[in-house]
Amino acid sequence: MYRLLVADDHPLFREAMVAVIARGLSGSETLEAASLAAALEVVAQHDDLDLALLDLGLPDAEGLSGLAQLRQAVPWLPVVIVSAEQHKHTILEALNLGAVGYIPKSTPRDTLLVALQQILAGQVYLPPDIMRTGSPPASPTAPLKHHPLTSLTDKQREVLAHMVKGESNKMIAYRLDIAETTVKTHVSAILRKLRVSSRVQAILLASERDDGIR
Amino acid sequence: MYRLLVADDHPLFREAMVAVIARGLSGSETLEAASLAAALEVVAQHDDLDLALLDLGLPDAEGLSGLAQLRQAVPWLPVVIVSAEQHKHTILEALNLGAVGYIPKSTPRDTLLVALQQILAGQVYLPPDIMRTGSPPASPTAPLKHHPLTSLTDKQREVLAHMVKGESNKMIAYRLDIAETTVKTHVSAILRKLRVSSRVQAILLASERDDGIR
DNA sequence: GTTAGCCTCCTCCCTTGGTAGGAGGCGCCG
DNA sequence: CGGCGCCTCCTACCAAGGGAGGAGGCTAAC
């Protein structure tokens, strides 16, 4: 059903997680990585993954830098943080880096399964105490789902439409009669909202489901 | 501005043609060839040509076989026939072989210039009397646009396949286990052969007809 | 043997793309 | 009214893309 990557340096914890997945998400496939380097290698060779579970305690990744690297390498892959740490600041920072959820290691099995299903369904999962503090930074659930394009503003969609045609920032600026710096601003916003890291990826994503575009 | 090849075995005519180009398309560069062999040699060493003007009376080419050979060698290069002959059958056959135009040697200078500009702009030019006879055979521009991908080398196609997936030069280098500078070399060659000026355009072109890719 | 094409890699240089951060104007809504 | 989101534009800075040119190695063809 799903293909997941479990990145954790503790073999025991990894196995436990895999077991939970195997039982709760029957038919799913799990890959494992004991380090960030291994995880990067795995995702490099599997572009059909649905979700990555990333531990924050990996030996070769300083805290959230691992998340940043993973997001950088494969922006299309949803990543959920699995960590013993539960500081609010860390959690919010992870979300800012594009994580789609944050699962404390203390989470009981049943809850864990619910969290995974929720995330695989396109929702964001956060520990209850964070959820209670009201809406986090900017994007709880809606923008992630099927229509990331709908979260774009009119102008951003307009710029994206020109990007899709293969035009450069300069040309778009000329066509829309705005400054190139303004185009850059829009492009940056588009990349952030679409959760990608280059204009090419944005274009591929947009033309894939160009429902909302032109 | 443009880089043209004039292939004709009459020095006088060649010079006249070059003069017309120099005056009408300022900034353009012209290369000359007195035989088909010479022309093939020139195009083999210059993959940045924009257009070739091919005379049908070359000593080492029997009629349209010269066009066939040239098209075979460098499918990405638009070729316009320049000939004294004006038989309808010959003209249609030339178009079938992928020529982008047919200019009678009797064409006055002004008209000649218009024809060249029209062709360089991506149009097809035919002598007025042929144009009047309605639609050309079956393929005005088709054969030209269909083949560019086939002119790529294996490695270039491989690189292009990764570009299409939205990967950066660095990532492609990693995947193919070659240096990033090498990837850049390939990308440059691809852009030149596909006659586009940015990777985005190359990707759009390739994914449009990704028949040969992947 | 020599030649030609391809792949590989390099350096130098410039353009483009993208981020960060700030700023002013405008319109909408509580 | 004040606040908020959006559009606009800016500076400054860094990363990535791309061109020009050269160079070595390799294989296939002549």
Side-chain angles (χ1 to χ4, degrees):
Chain A
M1 190 96 160
Y2 295 109
R3 292 173 68 92
L4 311 183
L5 167 65
V6 178
D8 197 304
D9 57 336
H10 299 93
L12 268 180
F13 184 84
R14 236 174 25 232
E15 285 177 26
M17 186 66 80
V18 169
V20 169
I21 293 169
R23 192 171 313 178
L25 302 169
S26 56
S28 292
E29 224 179 313
T30 51
L31 299 172
E32 304 185 35
S35 66
L36 181 66
L40 288 172
E41 202 168 326
V42 169
V43 298
Q45 291 167 338
H46 298 79
D47 51 1
D48 55 353
L49 291 174
D50 295 298
L51 180 66
L53 289 79
L54 179 65
D55 176 35
L56 281 193
L58 292 179
D60 54 348
E62 277 288 322
L64 285 172
S65 83
L67 172 60
Q69 289 179 60
L70 196 55
R71 293 284 307 151
Q72 162 82 14
V74 283
W76 48 265
L77 178 63
V79 179
V80 53
I81 297 298
V82 181
S83 170
E85 191 194 346
Q86 283 198 60
H87 291 115
K88 194 166 169 181
H89 176 264
T90 306
I91 298 177
L92 294 182
E93 192 58 30
L95 293 179
N96 264 335
L97 285 172
V100 296
Y102 201 103
I103 302 180
K105 286 203 172 176
S106 57
T107 305
R109 266 196 37 182
D110 303 348
T111 312
L112 176 58
L113 212 48
V114 170
L116 286 183
Q117 286 167 334
Q118 181 174 325
I119 290 169
L120 286 170
Q123 304 288 308
V124 168
Y125 177 84
L126 295 179
D129 49 323
I130 296 291
M131 290 296 272
R132 274 202 304 276
T133 68
S135 60
S139 54
T141 58
L144 174 65
K145 253 227 139 169
H146 285 78
H147 286 77
L149 295 193
T150 62
S151 68
L152 300 181
T153 67
D154 288 353
K155 207 68 183 186
Q156 286 163 2
R157 262 196 299 274
E158 196 175 355
V159 169
L160 181 55
H162 283 273
M163 289 168 63
V164 168
K165 291 198 231 159
E167 297 177 11
S168 67
N169 289 341
K170 185 179 295 183
M171 204 177 308
I172 297 172
Y174 175 76
R175 298 280 177 96
L176 299 186
D177 195 30
I178 56 180
E180 189 181 343
T181 54
T182 307
V183 176
K184 284 188 172 188
T185 304
H186 289 312
V187 171
S188 286
I190 292 169
L191 299 189
R192 211 179 319 115
K193 286 188 177 177
L194 297 190
R195 307 179 151 271
V196 295
S197 59
S198 80
R199 87 160 30 212
V200 173
Q201 293 167 356
I203 289 169
L204 294 176
L205 188 71
S207 52
E208 188 171 288
R209 34 179 166 297
D210 53 357
D211 322 306
I213 286 289
R214 185 78 343 228
Chain B
M1 192 80 165
Y2 294 108
R3 292 173 69 91
L4 310 184
L5 167 65
V6 179
D8 197 304
D9 58 332
H10 299 93
L12 267 179
F13 183 83
R14 246 184 3 245
E15 283 174 27
M17 186 65 82
V18 169
V20 169
I21 293 169
R23 193 171 311 179
L25 301 170
S26 56
S28 291
E29 213 171 319
T30 50
L31 300 173
E32 302 182 36
S35 65
L36 181 66
L40 289 172
E41 198 167 324
V42 169
V43 299
Q45 290 168 336
H46 299 80
D47 50 3
D48 55 350
L49 290 174
D50 294 298
L51 181 66
L53 289 78
L54 179 66
D55 174 37
L56 280 193
L58 293 179
D60 54 350
E62 278 290 315
L64 286 172
S65 82
L67 172 60
Q69 289 179 60
L70 196 54
R71 294 284 307 152
Q72 164 83 13
V74 282
W76 49 264
L77 178 64
V79 179
V80 52
I81 297 298
V82 182
S83 171
E85 191 194 344
Q86 282 196 63
H87 292 111
K88 195 165 169 180
H89 175 265
T90 306
I91 297 178
L92 295 182
E93 192 60 33
L95 292 178
N96 266 335
L97 285 172
V100 297
Y102 199 103
I103 302 180
K105 285 203 173 177
S106 57
T107 305
R109 267 198 33 185
D110 306 356
T111 311
L112 176 58
L113 213 46
V114 171
L116 286 182
Q117 286 167 335
Q118 182 173 324
I119 290 169
L120 286 169
Q123 303 289 309
V124 169
Y125 176 84
L126 295 178
D129 50 328
I130 296 291
M131 290 295 272
R132 272 201 304 274
T133 68
S135 60
S139 51
T141 58
L144 173 66
K145 304 179 74 174
H146 211 77
H147 274 306
L149 291 191
T150 65
S151 68
L152 299 182
T153 66
D154 288 353
K155 209 66 181 186
Q156 286 163 1
R157 262 196 299 274
E158 197 175 355
V159 169
L160 182 55
H162 283 273
M163 289 168 63
V164 168
K165 290 200 229 160
E167 297 178 10
S168 67
N169 290 341
K170 186 180 297 185
M171 209 175 309
I172 296 172
Y174 174 75
R175 299 277 180 103
L176 300 186
D177 197 29
I178 56 180
E180 188 181 343
T181 54
T182 307
V183 175
K184 282 189 173 189
T185 303
H186 289 312
V187 171
S188 288
I190 292 169
L191 299 188
R192 217 180 314 117
K193 287 188 177 176
L194 297 190
R195 321 197 134 259
V196 295
S197 58
S198 79
R199 87 163 27 212
V200 174
Q201 292 168 357
I203 290 168
L204 294 176
L205 187 70
S207 54
E208 191 171 287
R209 33 180 162 291
D210 54 357
D211 321 305
I213 287 288
R214 191 185 307 277

